[in-house]
Amino acid sequence: NAGVTQTPKFQVLKTGQSMTLQCAQDMNHEYMSWYRQDPGMGLRLIHYSVGAGITDQGEVPNGYNVSRSTTEDFPLRLLSAAPSQTSVYFCASRPWEGGTGELFFGEGSRLTVL
Amino acid sequence: DQQVKQNSPSLSVQEGRISILNCDYTNSMFDYFLWYKKYPAEGPTFLISISSIKDKNEDGRFTVFLNKSAKHLSLHIVPSQPGDSAVYFCAASTGANSKLTFGKGITLSVRP
């Protein structure tokens, strides 16, 4: 059981470049989300989705786009990377209804923007 | 405005003793609380949760206490073990199926 899989694990970008962080889950979870973790800031919600075709903004959505075409995948796109987007990114999922509310996290993707 | 606060950035405890990790919240609509544990280079993993209808939940060495009037919760680890050394995040939501708001985390070090 793979759970939540994120790729790539590490990425270095130059300012202005674009890239997509991939997230896939094999637990048939309706809810998927992206967080960023920065020193002294904890985990902050970027975007989330409660099902295919439905996305919404979290606390810090600026500079990021998401889409949800399937239940399994929830990619995070940086259209024009900025140094302020240097961070560790975590994708997380859970059932939308029922369960304990527990989020299942991926291992993270460390992004550096020069 | 930070809605979930973990005001102590770090805690150091001797092995075998009790670790008490504190968390405060400001949003009175929060009614579901969770603790996550995170090792370096790994994703956070769920540890224990509590809903506002309870004031205590216990799972092995881990117990979470909720004081709704004070908007305060705490995680007790007894006895503490070196493998408990990690970052602990407190999180809250308005219901078990709502988005989670996390605190900044606290780094626990358990000394052998």
Side-chain angles (χ1 to χ4, degrees):
Chain A
N1 190 353
V4 178
T5 302
Q6 292 183 232
T7 56
K9 287 188 170 29
F10 301 94
Q11 182 72 49
V12 178
L13 290 178
K14 294 181 180 179
T15 297
Q17 287 186 315
S18 63
M19 78 157 299
T20 299
L21 297 176
Q22 301 291 345
C23 176
Q25 52 92 9
D26 61 0
M27 298 173 282
N28 202 32
H29 287 166
E30 296 92 346
Y31 181 91
M32 297 186 73
S33 55
W34 278 101
Y35 285 84
R36 58 178 288 174
Q37 183 192 10
D38 302 291
M41 300 297 291
L43 293 162
R44 292 183 292 169
L45 181 64
I46 304 172
H47 284 286
Y48 66 99
S49 167
V50 300
I54 306 170
T55 63
D56 206 347
Q57 297 181 348
E59 300 173 64
V60 288
N62 293 340
Y64 307 94
N65 282 344
V66 292
S67 60
R68 185 91 179 271
S69 57
T70 67
T71 299
E72 295 78 19
D73 301 299
F74 191 45
L76 179 71
R77 297 185 185 85
L78 287 71
L79 296 180
S80 179
S84 61
Q85 293 178 304
T86 294
S87 188
V88 181
Y89 293 85
F90 291 98
C91 180
S93 73
R94 65 167 167 79
W96 178 230
E97 292 184 353
T100 62
E102 173 190 352
L103 273 177
F104 295 82
F105 282 85
E107 293 187 340
S109 298
R110 181 175 293 275
L111 174 66
T112 301
V113 182
L114 303 175
Chain B
D1 180 33
Q2 195 181 1
Q3 299 187 68
V4 178
K5 301 179 182 181
Q6 296 178 260
N7 293 320
S8 300
S10 63
L11 175 68
S12 182
V13 171
Q14 190 76 36
E15 180 179 5
R17 306 295 290 270
I18 185 172
S19 295
I20 300 177
L21 289 70
N22 293 307
C23 178
D24 298 291
Y25 60 97
T26 58
N27 187 344
S28 58
M29 299 301 292
F30 286 147
D31 60 2
Y32 196 73
F33 306 89
L34 303 89
W35 284 93
Y36 279 81
K37 177 180 180 179
K38 184 184 179 306
Y39 292 120
E42 295 184 10
T45 55
F46 171 75
L47 196 55
I48 193 169
S49 64
I50 188 168
S51 72
S52 60
I53 62 173
K54 295 184 176 181
D55 54 16
K56 176 182 174 182
N57 190 26
E58 192 171 357
D59 184 2
R61 295 186 298 114
F62 302 91
T63 303
V64 57
F65 295 92
L66 175 62
N67 182 335
K68 291 185 289 293
S69 60
K71 294 191 179 67
H72 176 83
L73 64 155
S74 60
L75 174 67
H76 292 211
I77 306 174
V78 184
S80 301
Q81 299 173 354
D84 296 329
S85 297
V87 177
Y88 289 79
F89 290 100
C90 172
S93 67
T94 55
N97 295 319
S98 298
K99 53 186 178 180
L100 287 178
T101 299
F102 284 83
K104 293 184 177 181
I106 179 169
T107 301
L108 173 66
S109 299
V110 180
R111 308 184 304 273

